[in-house]
Amino acid sequence: MSEHVIEALPGGLMEVSAAADLIKKGEFVVVAGDAELLDKLPKGNWIGGTIPYFMGPRGGECSKKQVYVTRVGGPSDKPVIKVYDVTNIENLCLEAPDNGYSLIILPAFSPIHAHYARNAPGFEDMFVKPVIGWVSGVHLEQLADAVPKVYDGTRGVAESDAAVVMHVALPANCYARVDIINGMQQGSGPTIKFPNTGFSATTATIDGKEQNLAEFLTRNNIDTKLPLVADYCGAMINVSIKGVDAKEGRVDFYAPVFSDSEYRMAEGDIPQLNEGEGKGTTFSCNCILNYLYGNLEGKRTANFTGPMTFGEIAYLLLNQTLVHMSIVRD
C-alpha cells in the first residue's frame, strides 16, 4: 500500500486583515497571535490562542503585528468547534470523529492545563483518535502580569481556563499522522520525587533524601535549560524548568510535576533538522524553549512552520518538543 501526503492549504504568517478575510469567507482556521490582534478578529469558524513567537518561512521570529493562520482543508464533513472545561474534557476523544483528528489549544498555567497534563492518558479513546495542539502563552517579558488565553471564534469569546477544540473528520481513504521530534531522554542522575502536584516546587526527595530543589540545582550547577523527564507509562515526557528562585527556594515549571511520578534530569540536545523535513505538514508547533535555547530567531526549522508555544500536545502534554501532523491518503 502506497501513501501520499496531502499538501496543506496555504496559510502562515499574515496581517490581521488577511486572517479576517478568510474567516469572513467561512473558512475553518486556527489562529495564533498576540491578544490585541486576536481580539480584532470577527466571529466565525476559528479557534485561537495567544503567543507572539513563531516558526516563520524565513526563520524564528517574534511578532505582535502578524498572526499565524493554519487553514483546515480536506475534511469530509464540516468541522465541529467545542469548548471544554475540567468537568467534561474527558469526553474529548469520545466526541471526536471516528476518522480524523482533534486540534486542541489550552491556556498555560490554568487548572485545565494541569488537569489535561495529569489525566489525558486515561481519557477514553485517547491514543485511538489523533489529538494534536498546543498551549497558549504570552510574551516572555509579560510573564508576571499577562494571562494566556484561548479563543472560541464562533462566539468571539476569550477564555483563560478552558480548552478550545476543532474536531475534523477526514474521508475514509485518509488519516492523520501525528509525529514528535524530541532530543531529550532521561539522564543517569539522581531520581527526583515531589510531595505535591503543581507548577512549582520547593522541597523534593532526591535519591531518597528530602531537600530544597532550588538549592540542589544551584549547588550542583545543573543546567536548567534541560528539562526533568518522567516515564509516563513508557512515554518519556519532558517537564521544562521555567525558573529557579534561589532567594525564595522555589522552582517553577512550564508543565506540572506529579507527586506519584519519578523524574530525572534530561540528557540530550535540541534536535537538528534536515532541510527536507516537514514537507507537506498540515500543522506543526515548537516549544518556546527550543526557540530560546536553540537560538532559532532568524533560523529556519526546515519546512516546519507554526507557533512557538508554552507546551505541545501530541495526545499527551509535552515540553521542549516539535510536534507535527500530516494528512495521508492511502
Side-chain angles (χ1 to χ4, degrees), residues 170-193:
L170 293 173
N173 66 336
C174 296
Y175 66 92
R177 183 172 64 202
V178 175
D179 292 297
I180 302 167
I181 301 175
N182 181 8
M184 303 297 173
Q185 59 188 353
Q186 274 194 330
S188 57
T191 59
I192 301 173
K193 296 192 72 174

Side-chain angles (χ1 to χ4, degrees), residues 120-148:
F123 291 172
E124 192 168 348
D125 279 358
M126 181 62 75
F127 308 113
V128 175
K129 299 177 179 179
V131 179
I132 193 166
W134 52 285
V135 177
S136 65
V138 297
H139 195 285
L140 293 174
E141 294 179 355
Q142 298 177 305
L143 277 173
D145 49 26
V147 178

Side-chain angles (χ1 to χ4, degrees), residues 12-13 31-34 37 49-69 134 286 288 291 296-299 301 304-309:
L13 282 170
V31 190
D34 186 76
L37 302 183
T50 52
I51 199 72
Y53 300 95
F54 310 99
M55 300 180 286
R58 296 177 300 277
E61 63 177 283
C62 177
S63 174
K64 289 192 174 186
K65 297 181 178 180
Q66 291 186 305
V67 295
Y68 190 95
V69 175
W134 52 285
N286 200 352
I288 183 62
Y291 176 87
L296 295 182
E297 185 170 357
K299 294 181 181 178
T301 44
F304 298 112
T305 59
M308 295 279 194
T309 71

